[in-house]
Amino acid sequence: MSQDFSLGTVEVALGPRERFEEFLQSRGKRITQQRRALVDEVFKRHDHFDADDLILHLSRVSSNRRVSRPTVYRTLVELVDAGLLRSMTLGGRTVYEHDYGYPQHDHLHCQKCNKLIEFHSDEVARIGEALAQEYQFRVTGHRLIFSGICADCRVQKRPTRKLDLV
Amino acid sequence: MSQDFSLGTVEVALGPRERFEEFLQSRGKRITQQRRALVDEVFKRHDHFDADDLILHLSRVSSNRRVSRPTVYRTLVELVDAGLLRSMTLGGRTVYEHDYGYPQHDHLHCQKCNKLIEFHSDEVARIGEALAQEYQFRVTGHRLIFSGICADCRVQKRPTRKLDLV
DNA sequence: ATTTATGCAAATCCTTTGCAAATCT
DNA sequence: AGATTTGCAAAGGATTTGCATAAAT
């Protein structure tokens, strides 16, 4: 099994838009202006975002690029179904990130500034395999978030002490 | 280093109720009927629960055990602050579990029947330590959830069980 | 010509808040 | 007494839905 991923360039057969259209067709769904606008907007981003970010950017655009609030939400669900996006809930809000042609990773979440730092660890997958075996559980994915205070935010606070894990 | 935990009995200095009262006092907060009722109700449980579960059980009790919705929510926050409970968001809902005198663990979440299976892994903490070092991040906790299909649900072709989707 | 998708407004769901009355210390 | 809490009703914020109209196949 080869790892074709690298942080800079990623090997994927199709672009996200093509991939989405393929998905839509496979389900008898239609390729509309707003779905196109959405994928484009979503893949213009390279960080984490939520529905409101998109709504904000798509609400004041020329009419054929304008997408309504309900449609943004409806399409976001489809993009997740299509495997293009991954979602996670952070403090009541649903946050999205690319999941297509993007290396598997997990997060460090700063509780002060809300920053998300990505990291990768093979360990996690190994733990998952062991668990699958032990519990006869079919693991399809995981979500690991370490929370705490990021380097930037630590500066303002107390002197640097030894890290105390909870 | 000794592991004083066992799944059956756990060593703790105080019971949850005493611990909570200690916490309240240390903050100049008051020990009220409803806070007492809440801790008791919460620690009667041994599984995961949400605010509504508690509200349901505490809404039709004799007047001195009755607790209103807002108070349930307010007290839940305090219980988390006090380190007695831990919360996580699962599909828009906030779910709680004991965090006091309860071994550190993570979860396997069955997407079919919604079951939560707990497991423990020291590995995760180790990953956290490594990351803390690497990113100069102060890790205060983590949340790891493997999702997939549990053994029970894998066996059944058709879901014959209740599935309360979240 | 069908059938699906969109947008609007209103509805839901969970959670939080303002405030007067009740309850602690 | 004096301060904190409670409960009620209402507000909030994010996400969803009903339905008539617009757009895609």
Side-chain angles (χ1 to χ4, degrees):
Chain A
M1 240 197 285
S2 62
Q3 280 273 123
D4 287 338
F5 290 134
S6 79
L7 278 169
T9 321
V10 174
E11 292 194 33
V12 282
L14 303 166
R17 184 159 163 177
E18 290 73 32
R19 177 86 152 80
F20 189 41
E21 302 196 345
E22 188 182 68
F23 165 84
L24 289 172
Q25 295 196 317
S26 77
R27 301 240 184 155
K29 294 184 164 218
R30 291 170 181 179
I31 296 166
T32 64
Q33 306 260 19
Q34 22 283 80
R35 294 214 246 239
R36 266 201 276 260
L38 237 329
V39 210
D40 290 353
E41 181 64 33
V42 154
F43 280 86
K44 238 188 278 179
R45 291 152 192 285
H46 281 294
D47 47 348
H48 303 80
F49 59 89
D50 63 11
D52 261 347
D53 292 332
L54 299 174
I55 292 162
L56 191 70
H57 284 261
L58 291 166
S59 61
R60 47 183 178 194
V61 195
S62 62
S63 61
N64 72 324
R65 290 257 110 188
R66 167 168 290 148
V67 184
S68 71
R69 178 178 297 276
T71 298
V72 168
Y73 278 101
R74 288 188 273 235
T75 309
L76 242 14
V77 172
E78 298 168 339
L79 287 167
V80 169
D81 280 358
L84 291 176
L85 290 183
R86 179 185 317 197
S87 71
M88 76 181 115
T89 322
L90 234 62
R93 265 189 157 69
T94 306
V95 181
Y96 299 86
E97 63 180 7
H98 299 179
D99 187 28
Y100 180 58
Y102 201 84
Q104 162 68 51
H105 64 275
D106 291 286
H107 300 93
L108 257 47
H109 177 223
C110 177
Q111 298 173 306
K112 266 250 176 63
C113 68
N114 226 36
K115 188 192 305 165
L116 277 178
I117 300 171
E118 298 177 2
F119 71 88
H120 172 78
S121 168
D122 299 305
E123 301 280 319
V124 187
R126 263 182 243 129
I127 296 174
E129 286 168 32
L131 289 166
Q133 181 85 321
E134 184 177 350
Y135 292 93
Q136 292 302 302
F137 189 97
R138 178 158 30 131
V139 173
T140 59
H142 74 263
R143 179 119 296 154
L144 170 57
I145 301 176
F146 284 98
S147 33
I149 313 293
C150 73
D152 293 347
C153 290
R154 288 178 70 176
V155 180
Q156 305 141 5
K157 271 277 179 174
R158 323 168 191 164
T160 315
R161 298 187 62 185
K162 191 163 194 226
L163 58 125
D164 43 327
L165 290 187
V166 173
Chain B
M1 51 192 163
S2 61
Q3 279 273 122
D4 287 340
F5 289 135
S6 78
L7 280 168
T9 320
V10 173
E11 291 194 34
V12 282
L14 303 167
R17 184 158 161 179
E18 292 73 32
R19 178 86 152 81
F20 189 41
E21 302 196 345
E22 187 183 67
F23 165 84
L24 290 173
Q25 295 196 317
S26 77
R27 301 243 184 153
K29 293 184 163 216
R30 292 172 179 177
I31 296 166
T32 64
Q33 306 261 17
Q34 21 285 78
R35 296 215 245 239
R36 266 201 276 260
L38 237 330
V39 209
D40 289 354
E41 181 64 33
V42 154
F43 280 86
K44 239 189 277 183
R45 290 152 193 285
H46 282 292
D47 47 347
H48 303 79
F49 58 89
D50 63 10
D52 262 346
D53 290 332
L54 299 174
I55 290 162
L56 190 69
H57 284 262
L58 291 166
S59 61
R60 48 184 176 194
V61 195
S62 62
S63 61
N64 72 323
R65 291 258 110 187
R66 167 168 290 145
V67 184
S68 73
R69 178 178 298 277
T71 299
V72 168
Y73 278 101
R74 288 188 275 234
T75 309
L76 244 14
V77 172
E78 298 168 338
L79 287 168
V80 170
D81 280 358
L84 291 176
L85 291 183
R86 180 185 317 195
S87 71
M88 75 179 118
T89 321
L90 232 62
R93 264 187 159 69
T94 305
V95 181
Y96 298 85
E97 64 180 9
H98 299 179
D99 187 27
Y100 179 59
Y102 202 84
Q104 162 69 50
H105 64 276
D106 290 288
H107 299 93
L108 259 48
H109 177 223
C110 177
Q111 297 173 306
K112 266 240 177 69
C113 68
N114 225 34
K115 188 193 304 168
L116 277 177
I117 299 170
E118 299 178 0
F119 72 88
H120 172 76
S121 168
D122 300 306
E123 301 281 316
V124 187
R126 262 183 242 127
I127 296 173
E129 286 170 32
L131 289 165
Q133 181 86 318
E134 183 177 350
Y135 293 94
Q136 292 300 303
F137 189 98
R138 176 154 40 115
V139 174
T140 59
H142 73 263
R143 184 115 293 155
L144 170 57
I145 301 177
F146 283 98
S147 34
I149 313 292
C150 73
D152 292 347
C153 290
R154 289 179 69 176
V155 179
Q156 302 163 329
K157 308 289 182 185
R158 302 177 284 177
T160 37
R161 300 186 61 186
K162 59 116 191 185
L163 70 161
D164 47 321
L165 290 186
V166 175

